[in-house]
Amino acid sequence: MTVRTRPDLETLPGYLPGRTIPGAIKLASNEVSLGPLPSVRGVIAEAAAGINRYPDMGVTALVDRLAAKLSVEPSRLAVGCGSVALCQQLVQAMCEPGDGVMFPWRSFEAYPIVTQIGGARAIKVPLTGAHALDLDAMLAAITDDTRVIYVCTPNNPTGTTLRRAELERFLDAVPRGPLVVLDEAYKEFITDPDVPDGIEVARGRDNVAVLRTFSKAYGLAGLRVGYCYAPEEVAAAMRKVCVPFSVNMIAQAAAIASLDAEDELMERCRVISAERERVRAELLAMGYEVPETQANFVWLPLAERTPAFNAHCLEQKLVVRAFGEEGARVTISTAEENDLFLAAARSFLVG
Ligand SMILES: *Cc1c(COP(=O)(O)O)cnc(C)c1O
């Protein structure tokens, strides 16, 4: 071979196409299971008619809309091709080769990948025995060259969520240097009033950013759009490293339409959050361990029983997300689909 690719990429997983099971119920990716609202669908069709033109690279209309809704300066917002792209941009914007990027583990699978792609060094901090972020261990692991600290709350895949006092105590203790990134992908499913709004927390601080997405509560996972609220210089740097035009025209229009339909979408979230409590209570009653969760999923830390649980669910045509011999994450769906999952969870214990 006369050309070579980066040797370190060999340690990254290649893409494995997921098994498609005809008629299976998808509880694996934390999407909302109901389709787009008619109003959003209409806007998507309308936007599709204009795709011979490039999208607005500055994403101006959506940024202005978000800035007004959140009462923040537009200059502090960066919009990306899903918040996973923003995670990557954050590493590119903050890190020189070998700088540290800290994240809890297990947490969102993209963190180690974007860290490595960005040439940074991963600092993984294990969760507590209760499957929660170990903030004291994270503080202790900060080094002089730590540039980014991902704080996923609710944590994907365990669902555990930081309360105001512990988050503020952590932020007060973080030394000057790293940017703390609150990943709030599941914010809209939170019902506990002790869980703070990340942007309110970040407002008074110059070292905190917040990631949000239209993929989960807003139901636009297939269109790829998320945003970051960050200190002005960070947001500007994130825009510089963005792949040009990566937030497409249809996504921009659909995001605005979804904000217009927010009341209706948040009502869906309230139903999902109530279902979450019901599903968790039933699983606990069956004897499963289920950490408290404020997201639209539950975590079953089944350890070595995880592969068998996964296989059992697949037999019932339910696709959950299994993580090796750690546990399974199951997305909360409609009451009917949740009942099918609960039946599978019950029969797993018998079988
Ligand atoms: C789903 C998810 C995201 C959102 O990803 P998108 O790229 O916006 O679809 C971000 N962070 C976490 C923790 C997630 O679980």
Side-chain angles (χ1 to χ4, degrees):
M1 263 245 293
T2 56
V3 298
R4 48 159 267 188
T5 57
R6 280 167 48 182
D8 75 283
L9 295 185
E10 279 174 31
T11 61
L12 286 179
Y15 178 73
L16 284 177
R19 220 175 345 150
T20 31
I21 301 158
I25 292 170
K26 293 182 177 165
L27 305 176
S29 298
N30 299 341
E31 301 136 331
V32 291
S33 41
L34 300 174
L37 299 171
S39 63
V40 177
R41 222 181 276 231
V43 168
I44 288 172
E46 223 169 276
I51 57 165
N52 52 311
R53 304 293 178 191
Y54 281 101
D56 171 9
M57 191 158 99
V59 201
T60 327
L62 177 56
V63 165
D64 287 349
R65 181 64 197 276
L66 285 169
K69 169 183 146 71
L70 303 167
S71 303
V72 302
E73 288 296 313
S75 57
R76 297 195 60 172
L77 294 173
V79 179
C81 179
S83 54
V84 68
L86 293 163
C87 289
Q88 185 156 334
Q89 284 163 253
L90 274 163
V91 174
Q92 291 171 314
M94 303 301 294
C95 295
E96 293 190 89
D99 282 345
V101 173
M102 181 184 296
F103 45 87
W105 199 251
R106 179 166 290 273
S107 187
F108 187 36
E109 285 175 290
Y111 301 149
I113 296 171
V114 299
T115 300
Q116 187 178 338
I117 290 173
R121 177 176 51 85
I123 306 170
K124 291 187 182 185
V125 179
L127 300 178
T128 67
H131 315 283
L133 271 56
D134 190 339
L135 295 179
D136 288 334
M138 289 174 75
L139 281 175
I142 295 173
T143 55
D144 286 343
D145 63 358
T146 303
R147 300 279 170 253
V148 178
I149 302 174
Y150 282 108
V151 172
C152 191
T153 176
N155 186 48
N156 176 4
T158 59
T160 54
T161 307
L162 296 174
R163 302 310 192 265
R164 181 183 307 276
E166 55 186 335
L167 177 60
E168 293 202 331
R169 193 182 61 86
F170 172 77
L171 295 174
D172 288 344
V174 170
R176 301 214 60 79
L179 175 74
V180 179
V181 180
L182 308 176
D183 187 340
E184 294 190 326
Y186 301 97
K187 183 195 185 313
E188 295 82 3
F189 301 102
I190 293 170
T191 50
D192 184 336
D194 277 347
V195 177
D197 176 292
I199 291 184
E200 294 311 318
V201 170
R203 235 180 251 284
R205 301 176 184 264
D206 59 8
N207 63 343
V208 179
V210 179
L211 282 174
R212 298 213 180 137
T213 179
F214 285 93
S215 293
K216 306 285 161 51
Y218 291 89
L220 299 181
L223 278 178
R224 315 304 307 129
V225 54
Y227 63 94
C228 183
Y229 169 73
E232 193 166 316
E233 315 75 61
V234 173
M238 291 175 76
R239 288 191 289 269
K240 286 185 186 174
V241 300
C242 181
V243 173
F245 304 112
S246 58
V247 184
N248 73 73
M249 184 185 280
I250 299 175
Q252 294 186 32
I256 293 170
S258 299
L259 291 170
D260 289 341
E262 195 166 57
D263 291 349
E264 222 171 323
L265 292 172
M266 292 313 118
E267 180 51 35
R268 284 182 172 186
C269 291
R270 274 188 287 279
V271 173
I272 292 168
S273 301
E275 276 294 295
R276 167 189 75 211
E277 300 307 321
R278 178 179 77 90
V279 169
R280 177 166 182 257
E282 292 211 22
L283 290 167
L284 289 172
M286 289 177 216
Y288 283 96
E289 179 187 356
V290 191
E292 64 93 20
T293 167
Q294 289 284 307
N296 66 335
F297 54 83
V298 290
W299 173 245
L300 301 174
L302 291 161
E304 69 285 346
R305 289 192 297 158
T306 305
F309 183 81
N310 187 40
H312 177 78
C313 288
L314 281 175
E315 277 167 28
Q316 321 290 316
K317 295 207 173 208
L318 297 166
V319 186
V320 303
R321 181 74 169 84
F323 293 86
E325 298 210 335
E326 282 178 59
R329 188 192 68 202
V330 186
T331 304
I332 301 297
S333 180
T334 57
E336 187 188 10
E337 293 190 352
N338 297 334
D339 282 341
L340 291 171
F341 167 67
L342 287 168
R346 202 169 283 115
S347 57
F348 176 71
L349 296 176
V350 177

